[in-house]
């Protein structure tokens, strides 16, 4: 209701070490691994989405770049403070930069004497920015190639503190639907002089810094919604057992049982997938961008489904504030948007996950297919030469059998599972084989158009994500069986895991069918007609993006009289970056 987390609560989180869980002990933190850290965030997420986001934004992205890429001097100066004293903020998004992280408009320019950088620009959605004592800031810098002398723009990351001249937090927060306890600042940098010693990693490597941090952020978002989903599952199931209608508990009805089973299955699968992925991070796997993106999409989509099912089971009472579920419902919606909108993540999983296959297919096509830009003799000479190359033919023949004769490859070998789960391992192997086969056929059918046909990409990605989830579920259930786990909770988990297998298999088969039979053509026609009509309507009737390249300033003005305002001001006037309760009591503007 007050749209803030009280300062006493933030102070207490620092005191008990929650705000420094992942920071090494030598700098005053707890030195926890990624898995332990996410277990705590899951517990926090069960109670309060806002608090889990604040803790996550501080450690997973706010100061994560410092931990991963900072120099010894930088770590000694800042890590003890972010572990025990003040929050940190991640400054990546801008008014005109959302999912396109590489499109930074903030500039970072090296001074003529080479002693400092000059930062100019504006940042948006910086969680806890108005309460933080340290910012990780990304911006574009002109960098000269050491050999050619040519200059190009690339992203550089620097540490900025709120007491630097030219830093203006002109809006501390905006009133919003969910995670209302969190604050997202708007920050303007005007000729801010940042010492060269504050640069993180190398010049031009800031995008790598940002994407690496987002891997951790996607983990912790997933753990937050998992905690909320588990709590919603248990609350709704208890409600279904104790709420009677037509002289029967709700749990007696088939459609309610469907929701109870789905909630149990999805929470089990999210848990299995998330902690398989945190294990990868704990053992320092070199490239897990696809896995973190997949987990973020799966947890946010399925977590939302669980909480929505819980709301439906509780009915009108679920909608009431006093029963707490409505806050989890509002909080959960943001997870499908932040840390990379799911639409972007589907395309990323497709593009990055399928990169190796695409390169292989392109190589075979270049070597063996007819090229209209060459004359017949050149084509024949190239194809004959390559046909005699064993390395090329070892790839071309299996691919040709699939694309031309539609012969599927052998199923992959899956090992390490509990013997009782062999039928499920066999089904998973078949689905992996089918996914690979139909991915190739879809690529051949759509050719270069697949690069822009996101509906095709999403079906392929969604299948891959469900295969990852099925693998994680198989692994987790195998571990439970080997450990001899018993009791009603395990029986619930086992049934939930097997039910998830059934649902995931249905989803995958539907995705495969939709690669060939779908409503994409009529969808594009309907979208075009709707867009054409909307283009005839006056911009003045609608809210328009503040940085729209075609209609900025022409849209409908937002009504602010009834909305709590969070006006900003220079951090120089706000102390050391940590506000007191009195400082954050913000009255609505007249």
């Amino acid at each position: 209701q007050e749209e803030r987390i009280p300062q006493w609560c933030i102070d207490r989180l620092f005191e008990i070490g929650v705000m420094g869980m992942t920071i090494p002990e030598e700098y005053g933190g707890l030195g926890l691994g990624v898995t332990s850290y996410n277990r705590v965030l899951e517990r926090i997420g069960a109670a309060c989405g806002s608090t889990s986001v604040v803790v996550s934004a501080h450690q997973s992205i706010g100061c994560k770049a410092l931990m991963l890429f900072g120099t010894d001097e930088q770590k000694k100066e800042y890590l003890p403070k972010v572990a025990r004293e003040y929050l940190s903020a991640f400054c990546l998004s801008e008014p005109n930069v959302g999912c396109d992280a590489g499109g930074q408009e903030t500039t970072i320019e090296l001074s003529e004497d080479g002693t400092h950088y000059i930062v100019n620009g504006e940042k948006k959605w910086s969680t806890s920015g108005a309460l933080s004592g340290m910012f990780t800031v990304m911006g574009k810098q002109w960098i000269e190639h050491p050999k050619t002398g040519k200059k190009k723009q690339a992203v550089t990351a620097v540490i900025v503190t709120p007491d630097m001249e030219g830093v203006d937090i002109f809006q501390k927060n905006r009133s919003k639907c969910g995670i209302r306890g969190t604050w997202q600042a708007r920050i303007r940098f005007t000729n801010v002089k940042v010492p060269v010693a504050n640069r993180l990693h190398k010049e031009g490597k800031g995008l790598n810094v940002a994407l690496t941090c987002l891997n951790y952020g996607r983990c912790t978002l997933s753990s937050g919604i998992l905690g909320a989903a588990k709590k919603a599952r248990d609350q709704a199931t208890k409600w279904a057992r104790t709420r009677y209608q037509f002289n029967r508990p709700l749990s007696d009805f088939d459609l309610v049982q469907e929701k109870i089973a789905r909630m149990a299955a999805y929470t089990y699968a999210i848990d299995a997938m998330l902690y398989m992925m945190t294990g990868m991070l704990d053992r320092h796997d070199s490239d897990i961008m696809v896995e973190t993106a997949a987990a973020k999409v799966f947890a946010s989509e399925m977590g939302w489904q669980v909480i929505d099912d819980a709301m439906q089971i509780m009915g009108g009472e679920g909608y009431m504030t006093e029963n707490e579920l409505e806050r989890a419902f509002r909080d959960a919606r943001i997870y499908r948007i932040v840390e990379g909108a799911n639409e972007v993540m589907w395309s990323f999983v497709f593009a990055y996950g399928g990169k190796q296959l695409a390169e292989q297919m392109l190589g075979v096509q270049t070597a063996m297919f007819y090229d209209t830009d060459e004359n017949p003799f050149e084509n024949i000479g190239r194809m004959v030469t390559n046909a005699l190359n064993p390395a090329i033919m070892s790839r071309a023949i299996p691919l040709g059998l699939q694309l031309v004769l539609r012969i599927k490859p052998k199923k992959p070998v899956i090992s390490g599972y509990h013997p009782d789960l062999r039928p499920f391992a066999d089904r998973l192997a078949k689905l992996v084989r089918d996914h690979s086969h139909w991915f190739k056929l879809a690529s051949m059918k759509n050719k270069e158009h697949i690069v822009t046909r996101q509906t095709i990409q999403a079906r392929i990605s969604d299948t891959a994500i469900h295969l990852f989830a099925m693998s994680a579920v198989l692994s987790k259930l195998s571990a439970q069986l080997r450990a001899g786990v018993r009791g009603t909770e395990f029986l619930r988990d086992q049934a939930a895991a097997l039910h998830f297998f059934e649902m995931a298999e249905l989803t995958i088969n539907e995705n495969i069918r939709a690669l060939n039979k779908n409503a994409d053509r009529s969808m594009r026609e309907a979208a075009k007609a709707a867009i054409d009509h909307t283009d005839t309507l006056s911009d003045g009737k609608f809210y328009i993006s503040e940085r729209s390249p075609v209609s900025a300033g022409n849209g409908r003005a937002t009504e602010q009289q009834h909305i709590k305002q969070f006006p900003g001001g220079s951090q120089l006037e706000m102390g050391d970056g940590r506000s007191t309760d009195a400082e954050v009591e913000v009255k609505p503007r007249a």
Side-chain angles (χ1 to χ4, degrees):
Q1 291 176 336
E2 295 180 5
E3 300 182 62
R4 66 185 176 94
I5 296 175
Q7 188 60 41
W8 67 261
C9 181
I10 300 294
D11 290 342
R12 185 65 178 140
L13 290 170
F14 272 107
E15 288 170 11
I16 64 178
V18 168
M19 289 301 187
M21 283 187 285
T22 62
I23 295 171
E25 292 181 82
E26 62 187 291
Y27 299 111
L30 300 183
L32 297 185
V34 179
T35 299
S36 298
Y37 169 54
N38 277 270
R39 293 284 185 199
V40 176
L41 278 166
E42 180 190 327
R43 175 61 187 86
I44 296 173
C48 177
S50 291
T51 306
S52 70
V53 169
V54 168
V55 174
S56 167
H58 171 57
Q59 291 175 82
S60 298
I61 54 176
C63 63
K64 193 66 181 180
L66 174 61
M67 285 189 276
L68 294 175
F69 300 100
T71 64
D72 289 341
E73 291 74 18
Q74 290 169 345
K75 292 177 181 179
K76 289 175 184 176
E77 180 174 359
Y78 293 107
L79 283 183
K81 296 174 183 176
V82 295
R84 294 292 178 180
E85 295 180 32
Y86 56 61
L87 293 167
S88 57
F90 192 64
C91 299
L92 178 65
S93 298
E94 301 180 4
N96 208 30
V97 177
C99 294
D100 181 12
Q104 299 291 302
E105 294 181 350
T106 292
T107 60
I108 295 178
E109 180 184 354
L110 185 64
S111 64
E112 290 185 4
D113 61 9
T115 61
H116 60 273
Y117 295 103
I118 302 170
V119 181
N120 283 283
E122 183 182 319
K123 295 295 180 178
K124 190 178 184 181
W125 311 124
S126 296
T127 297
S128 303
L131 311 174
S132 296
M134 188 203 96
F135 308 140
T136 299
V137 180
M138 312 291 169
K140 279 283 184 70
Q141 180 186 4
W142 283 103
I143 298 173
E144 185 176 307
H145 192 281
K147 293 182 179 179
T148 65
K150 291 183 178 179
K151 289 187 175 182
K152 68 172 184 178
Q153 276 194 310
V155 179
T156 294
V158 295
I159 297 171
V160 178
T161 55
D163 58 348
M164 290 179 178
E165 186 175 354
V167 176
D168 179 25
I169 299 173
F170 63 94
Q171 193 173 33
K172 299 174 188 175
N173 185 32
R174 289 166 69 190
S175 189
K176 53 192 172 290
C177 168
I179 56 165
R180 286 164 61 89
T182 67
W183 280 22
Q184 285 73 38
R186 298 192 67 171
I187 308 171
R188 186 177 294 117
F189 303 100
T190 305
N191 295 324
V192 180
K193 293 181 179 180
V194 180
V196 168
N198 281 29
R199 186 186 70 235
L200 288 163
H201 204 16
K202 299 176 182 178
E203 290 185 337
K205 296 295 183 181
L207 190 57
N208 176 255
V209 171
L211 295 178
T212 302
C213 292
L214 289 174
N215 283 333
Y216 292 87
R218 288 167 186 153
C219 278
T220 49
L221 283 178
S222 299
S223 62
I225 195 169
L226 173 59
K230 285 182 176 178
K231 184 176 181 180
R233 173 201 65 195
D234 292 344
Q235 170 60 54
T237 305
K238 177 62 74 173
W239 188 271
R241 292 297 298 147
T242 56
R243 166 72 167 160
Y244 277 60
Q245 288 290 279
F246 308 104
N247 298 316
R248 300 162 62 189
L250 296 183
S251 60
D252 276 7
F253 295 92
D254 217 35
L255 289 176
V256 175
Q257 290 180 10
E258 179 186 43
K259 292 177 176 59
I260 291 172
R262 186 162 57 208
M263 290 189 299
Y266 283 160
T267 50
Y268 186 90
I270 296 169
D271 185 285
M273 196 176 189
L274 170 64
Y275 291 111
M276 175 178 279
M277 189 190 60
T278 61
M280 295 175 186
L281 284 163
D282 274 330
R283 70 187 184 202
H284 306 294
D285 285 8
S286 59
D287 184 359
I288 40 79
M289 287 195 292
V290 168
E291 288 84 354
T292 57
K296 185 267 178 184
V297 170
F298 188 81
S300 61
E301 293 286 338
M302 303 310 166
W304 168 261
Q305 178 68 63
V306 169
I307 295 170
D308 188 58
D309 280 342
M311 178 69 76
Q312 192 68 19
I313 289 173
M314 289 190 67
E317 286 295 337
Y319 220 64
M320 298 298 105
T321 302
E322 66 197 55
N323 290 320
E324 297 186 32
L325 184 61
E326 64 86 24
R327 184 174 71 169
F329 183 80
R330 286 185 289 103
D331 290 347
R333 188 59 185 85
I334 195 65
Y335 293 106
R336 294 161 66 192
I337 298 171
V338 295
E339 303 283 10
N342 284 1
E343 290 76 11
V344 175
M345 293 294 97
W346 276 311
S347 292
F348 172 77
V349 169
F350 167 82
Y352 195 76
K355 182 174 180 285
Q356 191 175 34
L357 173 61
E359 289 173 346
Q360 178 187 340
M361 291 183 69
L362 181 61
V364 171
Q365 179 178 329
T366 302
M368 302 302 299
F369 284 38
Y370 195 91
D371 186 349
T372 55
D373 292 332
E374 296 179 351
N375 63 49
F377 295 104
E378 289 173 331
N379 273 290
I380 292 171
R382 172 176 48 79
M383 288 188 285
V384 169
T385 300
N386 289 324
L388 299 175
N389 186 324
I392 293 176
M393 294 310 293
S394 66
R395 298 193 301 270
I397 291 173
L399 190 59
L401 290 173
Q402 289 191 65
L403 298 180
V404 179
L405 301 180
R406 305 293 177 92
I407 298 175
K408 295 180 181 180
K410 291 183 179 179
K411 293 187 296 185
V413 176
I414 298 176
S415 60
Y417 54 84
H418 189 277
D420 291 352
L421 299 179
R422 180 173 180 177
F424 298 95
D426 289 343
R427 286 162 68 180
L428 175 59
K430 177 183 178 297
L431 291 170
V432 170
R433 188 263 315 272
D434 291 348
H435 170 59
S436 172
H437 179 66
W438 288 105
F439 186 179
K440 294 182 180 78
L441 292 178
S443 299
M444 182 181 71
K445 177 182 177 180
N446 291 278
K447 296 183 174 64
E448 67 275 8
H449 299 298
I450 201 168
V451 175
T452 56
R453 288 179 178 167
Q454 289 186 311
T455 51
I456 299 294
Q457 295 175 11
R459 291 172 191 127
I460 292 170
S461 292
D462 191 55
T463 295
I465 290 168
H466 274 77
L467 289 172
F468 180 21
M470 292 175 79
S471 302
V473 165
L474 183 66
S475 175
K476 180 180 179 180
L477 185 56
S478 291
Q480 289 177 303
L481 288 169
R482 291 187 190 283
V485 179
R486 295 290 184 269
T488 57
E489 184 175 1
F490 168 71
L491 293 176
R492 180 203 65 188
D493 285 352
Q494 180 176 242
L498 302 185
H499 182 50
F500 175 75
F501 246 80
E502 299 277 351
M503 291 194 297
E505 189 170 12
L506 290 171
T507 298
I508 289 170
N509 286 329
E510 179 56 34
N511 283 337
I512 289 173
R513 281 193 296 270
L515 290 174
N516 294 307
K517 189 173 182 179
N518 53 62
D520 289 357
R521 184 186 59 79
S522 61
M523 175 274 290
R524 293 188 182 94
E525 292 174 354
K528 183 180 183 304
I531 290 167
D532 289 345
H533 170 65
T534 300
D535 285 347
T536 68
L537 306 178
S538 170
D539 288 351
K541 295 181 178 181
F542 305 96
Y543 301 115
I544 302 292
S545 170
E546 63 184 300
R547 294 292 176 87
S548 168
V550 294
S551 297
N554 297 332
R556 176 182 175 185
T558 59
E559 297 289 338
Q560 299 286 336
Q561 296 94 323
H562 60 292
I563 300 173
K564 180 181 283 192
Q565 299 298 308
F566 300 81
S570 171
Q571 270 279 14
L572 292 172
E573 303 168 4
M574 295 170 62
D576 63 358
R578 298 184 59 199
S579 302
T580 65
D581 284 351
E583 287 172 342
V584 298
E585 287 288 352
V586 185
K587 303 292 185 182
R589 217 164 31 189

